[in-house]
Amino acid sequence: MRVGLEDLQAVIVVAQAGGFREAARSISSSPSRLSDAVRRAESRLGVRLFHRTTRSVVPTDAGRALLERLTPAMTEVASALDAVNVFRDRPAGTLRLHVPVSASRLVLPHLVPGFLMQYPDIQLDIVADSNVVNIFEAGCDAGIRYEECLEQDMIAVPIGPRVQRFAVAAAPAYLRRYGRPGHPHELLDHRCLLGKYSTGRLPEWEFEKDGEVIRVRPSGPLTVSIGAAVDLAVDAAVQGVGIIQLFEQWLTPYLQDGSLEPVLEPWWLSFSGPFLYYPDRRLVPAPLRAFIEHVREQNRASGGVRS
């Protein structure tokens, strides 16, 4: 009843992803290859590990019993193999990070090129998704989140700008046609470009001035998925379709070249920057350990704060 480690790893990945296609995408493999691996494991073990339908792949009772013991065991195997990295001249392996789209655009470009040049034997796999997920279920080693979304049992390292703002802006043509709002509540009478999470939730626009906090829920002609389709909303704002609220750093090039003008700037909300987070475990994989040190070096080089 010998089962190969790769086949057992395939069982874990498919269970975590909830399907062959999703699992294949998470490890850059193919659904057929993973299906063959799971089938081999079931054949060797003599039991069915998953209930398969056209819509889902769910562990059987036998599968759940196996995964309960197998998952931590395979984690220990991976940690044991990774321990060999300390004897190498340079760390090697794959580092998989789950990050919001904003971080992939505004934070990582300042870190990734230097990191990969410093550690040429490390392969970096970035999953850019603005929805909050369990990094274990996503098959990731670490992630980037803002403080309000951090889980308490995670280790957090500051990464990127320590203070950020949400900017509000509109094209000159829009402001000439519809006027310039002078107070956040006046946005309710304007055409605003909105973002929506995959859950369907539309976040409120939040403002702060002299200790007064105001939240409004504007409406408008365009709603886009937060993260993946934000550039479409930016393009629409530049064309004069409506008012947009977004990370100031994201909009800075458009504000500098005059494509957009700041709106309600005294009310722009400031908030703390993001964190690199990872589980508190005995042995941190060498690629992640190298990335953490690279982030800390960049923090020291910038004096701990970058805006």
Side-chain angles (χ1 to χ4, degrees):
M1 197 173 64
R2 296 173 62 89
V3 185
L5 286 178
E6 289 188 2
D7 292 347
L8 292 175
Q9 186 61 45
V11 171
I12 294 174
V13 171
V14 170
Q16 290 176 335
F20 290 99
R21 183 174 300 173
E22 296 80 2
R25 189 160 45 240
S26 72
I27 61 171
S28 300
S29 183
S30 68
S32 60
R33 187 172 182 178
L34 287 177
S35 181
D36 290 342
V38 170
R39 193 175 295 110
R40 281 195 302 270
E42 290 177 328
S43 177
R44 293 291 180 88
L45 293 171
V47 294
R48 180 176 290 277
L49 299 175
F50 294 99
H51 295 298
R52 301 167 176 82
T53 70
T54 56
R55 294 187 176 182
S56 65
V57 177
V58 180
T60 62
D61 289 342
R64 283 193 294 271
L66 175 65
L67 287 162
E68 186 176 342
R69 302 287 294 274
L70 179 63
T71 302
M74 290 296 285
T75 300
E76 285 299 313
V77 169
S79 297
L81 294 174
D82 184 73
V84 178
N85 256 325
V86 301
F87 298 100
R88 294 172 51 91
D89 294 332
R90 298 180 302 196
T94 298
L95 172 60
R96 197 158 192 260
L97 302 178
H98 187 280
V99 308
V101 173
S102 59
S104 70
R105 184 183 183 104
L106 306 178
V107 175
L108 293 183
H110 302 284
L111 294 167
V112 166
F115 174 72
L116 294 178
M117 292 176 67
Q118 185 177 355
Y119 299 101
D121 296 329
I122 291 178
Q123 180 181 355
L124 192 57
D125 185 356
I126 303 295
V127 180
D129 177 6
S130 294
N131 297 300
V132 176
V133 303
N134 184 309
I135 57 172
F136 297 112
E137 295 177 356
C140 294
D141 301 293
I144 295 177
R145 283 186 189 173
Y146 286 87
E147 190 170 8
E148 67 272 12
C149 296
L150 283 175
E151 298 174 14
Q152 293 184 352
D153 58 348
M154 294 287 177
I155 297 176
V157 178
I159 185 171
R162 300 322 308 142
V163 179
Q164 294 182 297
R165 289 199 301 176
F166 278 132
V168 181
Y174 176 90
L175 296 174
R176 286 194 298 269
R177 182 176 182 181
Y178 294 101
R180 182 185 296 271
H183 189 278
H185 285 311
E186 294 180 19
L187 290 170
L188 299 176
D189 298 321
H190 278 266
R191 297 165 60 84
C192 296
L193 309 175
L194 310 177
K196 179 174 65 176
Y197 291 105
S198 63
T199 59
R201 184 175 73 88
L202 277 76
E204 296 176 312
W205 290 17
E206 188 171 350
F207 300 88
E208 189 274 333
K209 179 183 175 184
D210 299 330
E212 180 183 4
V213 176
I214 292 178
R215 298 178 179 87
V216 298
R217 192 179 296 277
S219 60
L222 177 65
T223 301
V224 301
S225 298
I226 289 178
V230 168
D231 280 328
L232 175 60
V234 174
D235 290 342
V238 170
Q239 296 299 318
V241 175
I243 298 177
I244 189 170
Q245 183 188 60
L246 194 58
F247 292 92
E248 180 181 9
Q249 189 180 352
W250 199 317
L251 295 181
T252 293
Y254 305 94
L255 294 169
Q256 289 178 338
D257 68 14
S259 301
L260 296 174
E261 293 184 10
V263 173
L264 298 171
E265 188 169 4
W267 288 92
W268 288 2
L269 179 72
S270 297
F271 53 95
S272 62
F275 292 84
L276 173 72
Y277 72 100
Y278 58 97
D280 184 4
R281 55 189 178 189
R282 186 175 53 190
L283 183 61
V284 177
L288 176 56
R289 188 165 59 248
F291 187 70
I292 294 168
E293 182 55 33
H294 182 73
V295 170
R296 286 175 170 158
E297 287 176 0
Q298 295 300 310
N299 288 343
R300 289 192 290 268
S302 61
V305 176
R306 191 176 81 247
S307 58

